[in-house]
Amino acid sequence: MSDPNELTVLNPATEEIVATVPAASEEDVAAAVVRAVRAQRTWAAVAPADRARLLRRFADVVDAHAEELARLEVREAGHTLGNARWEAGNARDLLLYAAGGAERLLGRQIPAPGGWDVTFHEPLGVVGVIAPWNFPMPIAAWGSFPALAAGNAVVLKPAEATPLTALRLAALALEAGLPEHLFQVLPGYGTTAGRALVDHPDVAKIVFTGSTRTGREVMERCARLVKPVTLELGGKSPNVVFADADLTAALDPFSFLDNCGQDCCARTRVLVQESVLDEARDVLADALAAVVVGDPADEKTRMGPLISARQRERVRSYVPDDAPALRGSAPDGPGFWFPPTVLTAERPDSRAAREEIFGPVAVLLPFTDEQDAVRLANDTPYGLSGSVWTKDLGRALRVSQAVRAGNLSVNSHSSVRYWTPFGGFKQSGLGRELGPDALTAFTETKNVFISTEGPAQ
Ligand code: NAD
């Protein structure tokens, strides 16, 4: 039984306790929102250039503590050191990018007879951000920093398992000189603190990242208050590999093993043209055997543990011992380890081929031709990301247009850049984060018409 007043943070690589943290109650959330409302009024009145200057200073402080933040992420989330360093850098870079946005939050002047018509982007007020455990630091940053830059206050609830880097970011914001209570982090349980944030009438918007199931509940609760919501949810993304592709690059196992597969963009459906299926199987078998799985704090490690015992049980349920599969290795002993795995005899309608596993497990599925590839790629309720590998440019363009997903890459497995929009089609989500429009998602558009006719005589 977990203690409702406390969160226990475990190191997933050792199962040792890293920290215990008080869990916020409904009353704590309500008090934080009152403080945030006050802080936001002051912040919105700060000139955009000064807001930008403070956010750049925050970026400098994050940069100065990047190694400390990365090592904390390794301990609380089991991320490899290389990944965790990228994550701290991502938080810093997004602050710099968003700071520039504060100075460029432009309205429009629209021709209208009898006067001038102008639009303004006004901050929403207090934004609630609810983050998952798989990328605690970047996802906290993506929801919070553009919102702050646009003149809002933020109350962030990190996931139960991973509150530490978010708490540290809030402390660094204060150190950088951001006003008190502008960026508050409240660790707590989803069904208490999370719900309280979603239901609070003075929280103007919710940014939720997590499972599709919880996202649906968050959206229903927001609907009662007609509260805007951004949802970044699950995925079951395709990697479409045509016979003419560079198979070694296309079948890079880190397209589904990065972060031990706990990545909503993981390309876990490996769709391979049947004429090169045997060759693809060999390439994957060699690649899985070469993956170094182990202590995430070791610079040579490429894959760490899963987040928890519960997650490992869930992943295991998709991989019976006798399932035909290619398997890598994983350490024994303490830690939530699972070997890199590719299931080779799944049907497209099997549980493993349809559900998000959120572990280092992919399914290999053959297709016949371009039409069959697109049909299979779209045969999912999700639509977050995907890759297309072919040397035929026309086919690459046709398939990218036909696949219903928010983030596609051609001859590449990249998904996330802080300067390009990120989000899902279908049940992978609603709205977009990052990119040039990141700040406008945290504003209301106000239209003002100013008559040039004199007062009526
Ligand atoms: P989760 O939905 O269980 O929890 C996510 C967050 O929501 C946590 O902070 C949790 O405390 C909170 N929460 C739980 N119940 C709540 C409720 N009733 N009301 C308000 N908040 C509540 O998901 P998880 O297990 O933490 O994360 C894994 C999932 O997140 C995966 O399905 C993954 O695909 C998804 N994910 C999506 C993206 C994306 O950008 N699309 C990114 C990362 C993770």
Side-chain angles (χ1 to χ4, degrees):
M1 255 321 268
S2 47
D3 181 343
N5 302 311
E6 198 170 79
L7 302 170
T8 303
V9 181
L10 289 185
N11 182 331
T14 62
E15 304 183 34
E16 285 162 1
I17 294 177
V18 178
T20 53
V21 172
S25 63
E26 280 104 343
E27 293 74 30
D28 294 331
V29 172
V33 173
V34 170
R35 294 192 295 268
V37 167
R38 266 192 238 119
Q40 191 271 334
R41 283 197 202 113
T42 317
W43 181 238
V46 172
D50 292 330
R51 253 191 268 147
R53 223 186 315 279
L54 275 168
L55 291 169
R56 288 192 189 105
R57 211 188 286 161
F58 185 11
D60 288 345
V61 176
V62 168
D63 190 51
H65 291 82
E67 187 65 16
E68 175 208 327
L69 285 164
R71 290 195 179 264
L72 194 54
E73 193 85 309
V74 171
R75 287 200 297 143
E76 78 167 335
H79 289 194
T80 61
L81 191 53
N83 277 13
R85 284 179 176 148
W86 179 89
E87 288 158 32
N90 180 257
R92 172 204 57 217
D93 293 345
L94 179 58
L95 273 170
L96 293 172
Y97 183 70
E103 292 164 314
R104 295 183 186 83
L105 205 47
L106 308 177
R108 293 198 287 188
Q109 180 268 313
I110 301 169
W116 288 18
D117 193 281
V118 280
T119 65
F120 298 85
H121 289 297
E122 297 190 350
L124 297 172
V126 178
V127 172
V129 178
I130 299 178
W133 46 258
N134 64 330
F135 287 109
M137 193 162 27
I139 293 176
W142 300 355
S144 304
F145 297 166
L148 292 172
N152 302 282
V154 169
V155 179
L156 162 68
K157 194 206 82 63
E160 290 83 340
T162 54
L164 301 181
T165 43
L167 283 168
R168 194 67 192 117
L169 283 175
L172 295 177
L174 283 179
E175 195 179 315
L178 259 74
E180 221 186 347
H181 309 315
L182 187 69
F183 177 39
Q184 299 177 74
V185 173
L186 290 192
Y189 290 95
T191 45
T192 47
R195 275 189 189 146
L197 200 53
V198 172
D199 291 344
H200 200 295
D202 290 337
V203 173
K205 175 171 184 168
I206 292 290
V207 178
F208 172 84
T209 305
S211 61
T212 297
R213 189 175 48 81
T214 308
R216 223 173 262 132
E217 181 195 316
V218 167
M219 191 172 174
E220 280 166 14
R221 286 174 174 268
C222 284
R224 293 178 206 162
L225 296 166
V226 197
K227 184 179 293 198
V229 60
T230 297
L231 299 174
E232 299 287 1
L233 309 176
K236 190 75 185 176
S237 296
N239 178 19
V240 185
V241 182
F242 286 93
D244 65 345
D246 171 346
L247 288 189
T248 308
L251 298 166
D252 177 353
F254 285 92
S255 58
F256 58 88
L257 294 182
D258 198 45
N259 203 23
C260 200
Q262 300 165 118
D263 179 344
C264 47
C265 292
R267 274 67 163 171
T268 50
R269 290 186 301 137
V270 186
L271 313 184
V272 173
Q273 196 154 19
E274 60 189 2
S275 56
V276 290
L277 191 62
D278 290 341
E279 203 184 326
R281 212 179 269 132
D282 293 344
V283 169
L284 277 169
D286 289 348
L288 291 197
V291 175
V292 181
V293 184
D295 176 6
D298 183 333
E299 309 246 3
K300 290 192 289 298
T301 296
R302 293 297 310 280
M303 193 180 109
L306 289 163
I307 189 75
S308 62
R310 188 165 145 239
Q311 187 65 8
R312 185 171 54 185
E313 281 322 299
R314 193 178 130 71
V315 174
R316 219 177 245 155
S317 75
Y318 292 92
V319 189
D321 288 343
D322 59 350
L326 309 169
R327 291 181 166 90
S329 59
D332 296 324
F336 308 121
W337 307 102
F338 200 89
T341 306
V342 176
L343 295 165
T344 51
E346 294 295 315
R347 291 166 44 94
D349 60 355
S350 76
R351 199 174 145 248
R354 293 200 68 79
E355 295 180 9
E356 183 179 53
I357 299 175
F358 230 49
V361 181
V363 297
L364 183 63
L365 300 170
F367 66 85
T368 51
D369 55 13
E370 185 177 317
Q371 204 186 357
D372 194 32
V374 169
R375 182 191 59 75
L376 263 179
N378 284 332
D379 183 19
T380 168
Y382 295 114
L384 190 54
S385 67
S387 302
V388 183
W389 292 81
T390 176
K391 295 197 177 82
D392 178 337
L393 181 60
R395 181 158 63 192
L397 294 175
R398 284 193 302 276
V399 175
S400 326
Q401 283 184 312
V403 173
R404 308 243 327 125
N407 302 85
L408 292 175
S409 44
V410 173
N411 296 330
S412 155
H413 284 306
S414 67
S415 293
V416 172
R417 287 160 227 88
Y418 60 82
W419 64 96
T420 58
F422 178 76
F425 280 31
K426 302 196 275 183
Q427 291 185 32
S428 284
L430 195 70
R432 293 292 178 271
E433 295 189 282
L434 306 177
D437 302 321
L439 271 63
T440 31
F442 295 105
T443 62
E444 286 281 19
T445 301
K446 181 179 282 177
N447 190 72
V448 178
F449 174 77
I450 307 152
S451 170
T452 48
E453 321 280 314
Q457 300 297 314

